[in-house]
Amino acid sequence: MATIGLDKLYYSKITEDSNGEETYSTPLVLAKAITAELSVELVEAILYADDGAAEVVKDFNSGTLTLGVDDIGPTAAADLTGASTDDNGVLISASENVGTPVAVGFRAKKANGTYRYFWLYRVKFGLPATNLQTKADSITFSTPTIEGTVMRRNKLDAFGKHPWKAEVTEGDAGVASATITGWFTEVYEPVYTPVP
């Protein structure tokens, strides 16, 4: 079903242990969401045999998340891009700044009134783009965009795989209400029942 809205844009700082496995902090509001565009890049390998394709493998390589937001405050800018705030409260961006990966969560409203929820487990953002325009005969809002590379996380799930995204639709069969109500209180961790 098509989506007709976007809101609840959160991020969670990542701490890595000595093995590089991620632990997520309590999610924080990133900004008010205007747009979110996620594109995915796959790695493809084709094995040819007997004059045709015998095997095709397509794996997740990376993705690009482009966010249009109302404003990126100094705290979120520092967490996402590595910028710092000086003693006078001025956000300072330096050429040496390197942001650390964060998890990003949001939800999209569907036409039937329910929501589809997302967590991207590891996103590394670049510097936000700023578009400014003089006021003329009409008022045009200028808002920042920020682009990040979506990567798989280092932490393995119960099947020995590296998740890169969690997605759930409110009201789908098997979706517990606690999953939806707790979606933005912490970054969602996959839950699997052990197979005997």
Side-chain angles (χ1 to χ4, degrees):
M1 181 175 288
T3 58
I4 59 170
L6 173 70
D7 67 356
K8 302 277 187 188
L9 184 56
Y10 283 79
Y11 74 99
S12 173
K13 294 194 291 186
I14 295 174
T15 304
E16 294 182 24
D17 66 13
S18 59
N19 297 324
E21 291 190 358
E22 298 88 352
T23 302
Y24 301 99
S25 67
T26 302
L28 302 169
V29 174
L30 195 157
K32 290 183 179 179
I34 297 172
T35 60
E37 181 180 333
L38 175 63
S39 59
V40 176
E41 182 181 321
L42 300 176
V43 175
E44 181 177 333
I46 303 173
L47 172 68
Y48 291 93
D50 287 338
D51 294 332
E55 298 284 337
V56 177
V57 175
K58 293 185 179 198
D59 284 336
F60 173 80
N61 184 36
S62 66
T64 301
L65 176 65
T66 305
L67 296 174
V69 296
D70 70 329
D71 190 23
I72 299 174
T75 302
D79 290 342
L80 272 54
T81 69
S84 59
T85 304
D86 75 1
D87 294 343
N88 293 319
V90 177
L91 184 67
I92 306 297
S93 296
S95 61
E96 295 83 8
N97 290 143
V98 177
T100 56
V102 296
V104 177
F106 51 91
R107 71 180 186 174
K109 188 172 187 175
K110 296 172 54 176
N112 66 0
T114 61
Y115 288 89
R116 182 173 295 140
Y117 292 79
F118 298 86
W119 271 111
L120 302 174
Y121 285 117
R122 193 174 179 92
V123 182
K124 186 163 185 169
F125 285 99
L127 297 174
T130 304
N131 301 307
L132 305 173
Q133 182 176 331
T134 189
K135 186 169 68 169
D137 292 337
S138 62
I139 297 174
T140 302
F141 288 104
S142 297
T143 57
T145 59
I146 188 165
E147 185 173 282
T149 300
V150 180
M151 302 168 279
R152 70 178 198 171
R153 72 179 188 176
N154 299 320
K155 186 177 180 181
L156 297 171
D157 67 11
F159 295 115
K161 296 181 179 181
H162 300 273
W164 65 274
K165 176 177 78 165
E167 179 179 342
V168 66
T169 300
E170 181 181 14
D172 277 1
V175 176
S177 62
T179 300
I180 299 301
T181 58
W183 194 257
F184 297 115
T185 60
E186 62 184 8
V187 175
Y188 181 80
E189 286 290 339
V191 178
Y192 297 105
T193 303
V195 178

